[in-house]
Amino acid sequence: MPELPEVETTRRGIAPHLIGQRVREVRVHQPRLRWPVPGELAERLRGARILEVERRAKYLLIRFAHGSLIVHLGMSGSLRLSAHEHPRGAHEHVELLLADGRALRLNDPRRFGAVLWTDGDPLAHPLLASLGPEPLSEAFNAEDFHRASRGRRCTIKGFIMDGRQLVGVGNIYASEALFHAGIHPLRAAGSLSRPRCAALVEAIKRVLQAAIEQGGTTLRDFTDGHGQPGYFAQALQVYGRAGESCPRCAGTIRNKTIAQRASYYCPRCQR
DNA sequence: AGAGGTACCTGGCAGC
DNA sequence: TGCTGCCAGGTACCTC
């Protein structure tokens, strides 16, 4: 489900309500997520104060003085703040009960998400340590992107979804960014000229930024930290629109599976 | 090193 | 109504 805009939307929604709060209790109802939820979380967090809620790639980092929670939403996860006494849903596997009477709950039907603990710097955690630059930072730029793609024969769609190159671009925004840049998803990454790399870098930044401003994309079940859907779905140009006419030319949008993932593009204006 | 496939899980939906 | 098969926003890990 969530790509960078959805995770950032979640972060912005919950951070103001979490920062400075103390954790009263942790309840783990289903520890079997992507990796087991650490059994000692409850003891570690009881009474601890949340200092900051940050995001790196699609991971949320909830910082405490003595360590950090690392949360990933996987394909179907969402975090939501609600009252303690609000009934817990069937897929709300982990909850942090806060001192102010609210609960932060992780809902994740498919359980591809993760809740991990690290005593040290979460950015140095093995899952995060070798990730590429944040797409909305200056560390993600045309010059470096062009250099990194030289000699690469994988598809450009696979390349921009590879977290070692840049983070945060998932299946929806990959199709959208390639459409905006006029680049065919099957093109070899190493075959893009420097100006086209620059156009793609700009398209990725624009699409992600616009999606954040709309609160993310809700296709089926994404909601922000307060249970509200995102509104970027209506701004999608190609994703999920196979058979419709291209917004830019007279072509028809196609759906083709690339690397086991549905890909949408206009074969006429994406080259 | 890089490319490609598999696996993890549940729910919703189309088609019969 | 109920069954089957397919699809889904991610990514670590395996083999070649």
Side-chain angles (χ1 to χ4, degrees), chain A residues 10-217:
Chain A
T10 299
R11 188 194 70 77
R12 292 182 183 187
I14 62 178
H17 304 275
L18 293 185
I19 293 170
Q21 283 276 326
R22 287 194 188 275
V23 175
R24 182 183 293 174
E25 190 183 339
V26 178
R27 292 184 186 158
V28 179
H29 304 278
Q30 169 56 279
R32 299 181 56 188
L33 303 184
R34 172 116 199 213
W35 295 281
V37 178
E40 70 283 7
L41 262 194
E43 297 80 66
R44 280 226 161 90
L45 291 182
R46 187 171 295 118
R49 198 160 63 92
I50 296 171
L51 301 181
E52 191 54 74
V53 181
E54 297 167 357
R55 179 191 58 73
R56 169 72 172 115
K58 298 170 190 168
Y59 294 91
L60 284 166
L61 311 176
I62 302 177
R63 292 191 183 259
F64 298 82
H66 61 313
S68 297
L69 272 182
I70 300 175
V71 179
H72 197 288
L73 300 177
M75 287 278 266
S76 60
S78 60
L79 282 171
R80 185 167 178 181
L81 274 169
S82 52
H84 278 195
E85 47 290 344
H86 190 277
R88 187 175 61 87
H91 301 289
E92 292 185 328
H93 305 310
V94 178
E95 46 186 349
L96 299 194
L97 305 183
L98 305 169
D100 73 349
R102 283 190 289 191
L104 180 69
R105 295 181 165 124
L106 172 68
N107 182 293
D108 187 6
R110 292 178 73 181
R111 291 193 272 125
F112 289 169
V115 177
L116 301 170
W117 174 262
T118 177
D119 295 321
D121 177 5
L123 300 180
H125 189 279
L127 288 172
L128 307 191
S130 51
L131 292 173
E134 284 291 321
L136 297 177
S137 73
E138 291 182 11
F140 178 58
N141 59 69
E143 186 182 336
D144 291 341
F145 182 79
H146 179 257
R147 189 182 317 118
S149 64
R150 292 311 88 186
R152 295 298 300 269
R153 288 151 63 159
C154 62
T155 64
I156 187 61
K157 181 167 185 256
F159 190 74
I160 63 176
M161 290 177 68
D162 179 350
R164 292 167 300 187
Q165 309 306 327
L166 72 151
V167 300
V169 175
N171 203 39
I172 295 178
Y173 299 113
S175 281
E176 292 298 306
L178 289 166
F179 172 76
H180 285 282
I183 295 168
H184 197 289
L186 283 177
R187 172 172 283 280
S191 75
L192 285 176
S193 67
R194 177 185 276 280
R196 302 195 82 203
C197 283
L200 181 53
V201 165
E202 286 313 305
I204 289 169
K205 290 175 185 281
R206 278 208 318 275
V207 167
L208 294 178
Q209 187 60 48
I212 290 170
E213 286 163 11
Q214 294 295 308
T217 298

